[in-house]
Amino acid sequence: MDAQGRGRVEDIDPADQWVLNPETGEYELRLAPSAPQSRVPGQRGTGGTGRASRRRGAPASASTSAPAPAPAPAPAPEREVPPPRRRRTSPEEPPPGRRGRRRPAKKSKGKKILLWTGGTMALVVLAAGTAGYLYLQHLNDNIESLPDDGAGTGGFQKDQAINILLIGTDKRTGSGNEGYGDNGSAGHADTTILLHVSKDRSNATALSIPRDLIVDIPDCPTTQEDGSTKVIPGSTGVRFNQSLGQSGRTPSCTMRTVTELTGVRPDNFMVADFNAVKTLTSAVGGVEVCLAKDINDPDSHLNLPAGKHTIEGEDALAFVRTRHSVGFGGDLSRIEIQQQFLSSLMRKLKSNDTLTSPSKMVKLAEAGTKALTVDSTLDDIGKLKDLGLELGKLNTKNLSFVTVPVRDNPAEKVKATVVLQEEPARQVFDMIKEDVSFTEVKKKESEKEKKEKAAVAARLEGEKSDPSEVRVRVLNGGAPDGSAQRELLYLQNEAGVTKSENAGDADAEVARTTLEYAPDQADQARALAEILGLSGAAMKPGQSVTNAQGLPTMTLTLGKDFKGAGVKLDAASAEAPEEARKSTADKVECAK
C-alpha cells in the first residue's frame, strides 16, 4: 500500500510490510502513515488490519469503522503541506535548565537479529519452523501434531540438555511427488537424526541412524484416531526404518526404538516429507553443494556435473536422495551426502543474507510450518520459537555430524543390512548420554573456574601408594548387575589391590563413578585412580569408612559410566572412536 492508502491488503506481499528497525534490531510492521503500527501481524486493536480484522467480518482494506472526518480546507496551490512530524530536540541544544543526556548504547544489531531468528541455525524443518516467530498465530494453523504416547520426556527444558528426533519419511504425499517413494505405502523412517544439544549450549551432535540397521522394535502403545490406545507388538531383528508407518506405527514408536537402541530418550520429535526439502531450499534461495565428479542418477533424478552448484526444489530433493552414484552406492554413502547438504543449509540459514531478509524469513516460516509434523508438546509456534532460541546459541563449528558405527550384516551373503559395531557404538551413545562434545570446545573461564579446575587436577599429583597398600570397598551405583564383583576380581587378581572387598549396592544410582577418601588416604586414592583411569573430578575428598576389621577404607562407587572390569573409566570422554564417521557443520566437503 502506498502513502495515499491505495491498494488492498490482499494485494500486498506480507514480507514488504516488515522493516528492520536499526535502533532496536527488531522487525516491525510498517503500514500507511495514517494507520497505527503493530509489532504483531493481525493484532487486535482499533487500527488493526489483516487476519484479525477479517476474522471479525471487517473489510479487507486498512480502514476503521469510524466515520470519515470532514475534509480540511485545501492548501494554497503554490504551497505543499508537509506531513505532520514528531517534534525532536537536537542533542546539541538541550532544553534550558536541563542537562543533555547521552543516548544509551545500542545493543548489537547482529545479536538481536539472531535472537529473533535463532531457529534458523537448527536442522532443516526446525530452523524454518522457528523463523515463524515473525508470523505468530497465523502459523499455528499450519502445524500438524501427533501424540508422543509417553515415549518422550514431555518436552525439552531450557536448563537441560536437549534431544530432538528428526525423521524424514519416504511417504509420498503432496502434489509433485508422484515419482518418489512407494505408491500406497504408509512410509518408513527413511532418514533419522538424533540431535543432541549440550546443557551449556556450547556444542551439539547430530547422530545419523542408518535405515537398514538391524534393531529390535519394542511394543508401542499408540493413540488411534478415535482416541483409544492400541499396543502395536514389537519386532526383533528388523530394519530400523520399519519403526515408522509399518503395522500402524507412528513417530512415537520410532522414539521408543531410538531409546532402546541408544539409551537416550528424546524430548520431542519432528517429521518432514519430500516437500520439506523442496520448499525450504527454495525459501532461502538455494543451497550450495559440491560434487567431486559428474553424477547422472536416474533413480534419484540427479544430473549435475562436477563442481559447486546452488540447488533448490526438485534438484535439492534429488541430491539428498541419491546414493547409487556416490561412495559405495549404499545408504551409508547417502547419509554422508545428506550430512553435507544439511551443513550447507545451516550455513545458508545462518548467513546475513537470510537473517536480515524479511521476505526470506516469511517464506521460511510458511514453508517450515507446513512441512512439519511435531509431537503434541511442541505444537505451538511459541514453543518452536523457544526451542529455536536455544539452538541459536550454537556455533556451527561445534555441531558434529556423526553416524552410528556399523558393519555389514555377517548373516547375509548378499549384503543389504548392517549391524552395530558394539564397542564403538556404545562409546558414541555414552558420549551423548554423558553430554560429552565430539569437538574441542574452547570456553572462556573465569578466575574462579580456573582455580577450581587447577584444584581438581591437583588431586592426581603427588606420591602414590603401592597397590598392595590400597584398601577399598566397591559399591554398585548403577552399573550392570554383577559389576562390583567383576571389578573386585580384577583389582585383586590383575591389579594387585588385594585389600579390596565387595560392599554390594549403593544407596542410590549415580551417573559417574566416584572414589571417596579421607585426606590421609590421598596417596592410596592416586594409586587407584591411575589403575582405573579416574579423572580428578571423579576423586572426592571426604571421609573414610571402617570395614569389618575396624580399618579405614576408601569407597569406590561404580556409576552408569562403568564400561567393564579393567576398562579405563575415562575412555568415553576422550574422543569419538575412529569407527564413527564425523564431520562438522562449518566444513565445506565435496561428495565423491
Side-chain angles (χ1 to χ4, degrees):
M1 183 179 297
D2 59 24
Q4 284 74 36
R6 293 191 298 270
R8 300 189 309 162
V9 171
E10 289 87 339
D11 299 328
I12 301 172
D13 185 342
D16 295 336
Q17 297 178 282
W18 287 93
V19 180
L20 180 66
N21 187 331
E23 293 189 3
T24 65
E26 300 178 350
Y27 287 103
E28 296 179 357
L29 184 63
R30 298 291 175 86
L31 301 177
S34 59
Q37 295 184 7
S38 169
R39 291 175 185 260
V40 181
Q43 180 177 343
R44 296 178 183 269
T46 58
T49 65
R51 289 174 56 89
S53 297
R54 291 197 293 276
R55 283 175 180 165
R56 296 195 303 271
S61 60
S63 62
T64 66
S65 59
E78 66 275 6
R79 297 179 59 191
E80 181 178 347
V81 179
R85 291 185 294 179
R86 191 170 45 185
R87 186 173 182 179
R88 300 172 62 181
T89 302
S90 171
E92 289 80 9
E93 299 179 7
R98 296 178 61 185
R99 296 180 61 188
R101 294 184 297 173
R102 179 181 298 176
R103 287 190 176 187
K106 296 180 182 177
K107 293 183 178 181
S108 167
K109 180 173 72 175
K111 291 183 178 180
K112 297 204 73 174
I113 292 173
L114 281 175
L115 287 178
W116 267 86
T117 59
T120 58
M121 289 182 60
L123 289 170
V124 194
V125 294
L126 186 58
T130 306
Y133 183 56
L134 302 175
Y135 237 50
L136 299 177
Q137 287 304 114
H138 162 68
L139 298 178
N140 283 325
D141 295 336
N142 291 344
I143 303 174
E144 295 186 7
S145 66
L146 290 170
D148 73 351
D149 298 313
T153 63
F156 77 95
Q157 302 294 322
K158 293 184 178 181
D159 58 348
Q160 299 295 325
I162 298 174
N163 294 292
I164 306 294
L165 188 63
L166 305 172
I167 307 170
T169 175
D170 60 358
K171 183 178 180 180
R172 193 176 72 182
T173 59
S175 60
N177 292 322
E178 291 78 7
Y180 306 112
D182 298 328
N183 187 20
S185 170
H188 303 77
D190 196 52
T191 299
T192 305
I193 296 175
L194 177 62
L195 176 63
H196 171 82
V197 184
S198 67
K199 183 177 180 179
D200 63 4
R201 308 298 186 252
S202 67
N203 65 89
T205 303
L207 179 67
S208 293
I209 302 175
R211 68 177 187 180
D212 296 326
L213 174 63
I214 296 300
V215 298
D216 293 338
I217 299 176
D219 293 344
C220 296
T222 305
T223 302
Q224 306 298 298
E225 290 186 2
D226 61 1
S228 63
T229 299
K230 175 183 178 181
V231 177
I232 299 176
S235 302
T236 58
V238 297
R239 280 181 167 89
F240 175 86
N241 67 353
Q242 294 186 26
S243 63
L244 176 67
Q246 310 307 298
S247 303
R249 297 184 177 113
T250 65
S252 67
C253 194
T254 307
M255 291 182 89
R256 295 185 192 278
T257 305
V258 168
T259 302
E260 185 90 1
L261 173 68
T262 66
V264 179
R265 188 179 182 186
D267 299 306
N268 302 97
F269 69 72
M270 308 182 79
V271 184
D273 60 16
F274 292 140
N275 280 321
V277 176
K278 295 193 290 186
T279 57
L280 292 173
T281 52
S282 296
V284 296
V287 173
E288 185 178 90
V289 296
C290 182
L291 297 176
K293 62 182 180 180
D294 297 345
I295 291 183
N296 186 0
D297 185 354
D299 292 323
S300 71
H301 311 304
L302 180 64
N303 186 0
L304 290 174
K308 294 182 178 180
H309 306 273
T310 298
I311 59 175
E312 61 179 278
E314 294 288 346
D315 287 339
L317 178 59
F319 184 86
V320 298
R321 293 185 69 247
T322 191
R323 56 177 175 141
H324 298 302
S325 301
V326 293
F328 294 104
D331 186 50
L332 295 180
S333 298
R334 188 184 65 146
I335 286 176
E336 290 184 358
I337 204 169
Q338 288 175 345
Q339 291 175 345
Q340 180 210 140
F341 174 84
L342 290 173
S343 296
S344 181
L345 177 57
M346 291 182 65
R347 291 193 298 271
K348 182 63 177 287
L349 289 167
K350 193 185 175 187
S351 68
N352 287 334
D353 181 52
T354 300
L355 293 175
T356 59
S357 172
S359 61
K360 286 185 179 180
M361 299 309 297
V362 169
K363 289 177 181 178
L364 277 169
E366 290 287 350
T369 52
K370 288 179 180 178
L372 283 173
T373 298
V374 300
D375 68 89
S376 53
T377 67
L378 198 61
D379 61 353
D380 178 82
I381 197 65
K383 296 176 183 177
L384 285 171
K385 178 264 297 181
D386 290 340
L387 178 57
L389 292 179
E390 294 301 308
L391 295 167
K393 301 172 184 178
L394 291 171
N395 189 317
T396 53
K397 71 178 182 180
N398 293 325
L399 170 58
S400 301
F401 285 94
V402 181
T403 303
V404 173
V406 296
R407 59 189 176 93
D408 288 334
N409 190 345
E412 297 175 336
K413 291 183 178 180
V414 178
K415 305 304 180 184
T417 61
V418 293
V419 296
L420 285 181
Q421 292 189 56
E422 290 292 343
E423 186 55 38
R426 290 300 156 200
Q427 191 171 335
V428 168
F429 300 155
D430 288 341
M431 289 180 71
I432 293 176
K433 285 190 292 185
E434 296 166 19
D435 206 18
V436 176
S437 175
F438 282 72
T439 61
E440 183 179 356
V441 181
K442 296 181 180 179
K443 294 181 287 186
K444 187 176 182 180
E445 297 178 333
S446 65
E447 288 300 319
K448 180 181 179 181
E449 290 173 330
K450 290 179 181 179
K451 290 180 180 179
E452 291 176 349
K453 187 175 181 179
V456 168
R459 295 172 189 170
L460 297 172
E461 299 174 359
E463 294 185 0
K464 301 180 181 66
S465 298
D466 187 270
S468 62
E469 298 176 359
V470 174
R471 185 176 288 107
V472 63
R473 63 175 190 150
V474 183
L475 294 174
N476 190 333
D481 292 343
S483 293
Q485 183 61 27
R486 288 191 289 272
E487 185 73 343
L488 176 67
L489 294 175
Y490 164 75
L491 291 173
Q492 292 181 340
N493 300 329
E494 299 184 43
V497 184
T498 55
K499 298 177 182 178
S500 51
E501 59 186 85
N502 183 351
D505 292 334
D507 294 335
E509 292 188 352
V510 293
R512 296 182 178 275
T513 298
T514 59
L515 175 63
E516 185 175 1
Y517 58 96
D520 60 354
Q521 295 172 313
D523 53 348
Q524 295 184 45
R526 286 190 286 267
L528 190 59
E530 184 177 56
I531 293 171
L532 300 180
L534 293 176
S535 65
M539 300 174 66
K540 305 295 181 184
Q543 297 179 342
S544 62
V545 296
T546 303
N547 64 9
Q549 291 75 39
L551 299 173
T553 305
M554 299 186 297
T555 300
L556 175 67
T557 304
L558 304 180
K560 295 179 180 179
D561 62 340
F562 180 72
K563 303 297 182 297
V567 179
K568 297 289 185 179
L569 289 167
D570 64 346
S573 60
E575 59 182 19
E578 293 183 0
E579 295 85 349
R581 308 182 186 196
K582 182 173 77 70
S583 63
T584 52
D586 62 323
K587 301 290 178 61
V588 179
E589 299 181 0
C590 294
K592 300 178 181 180

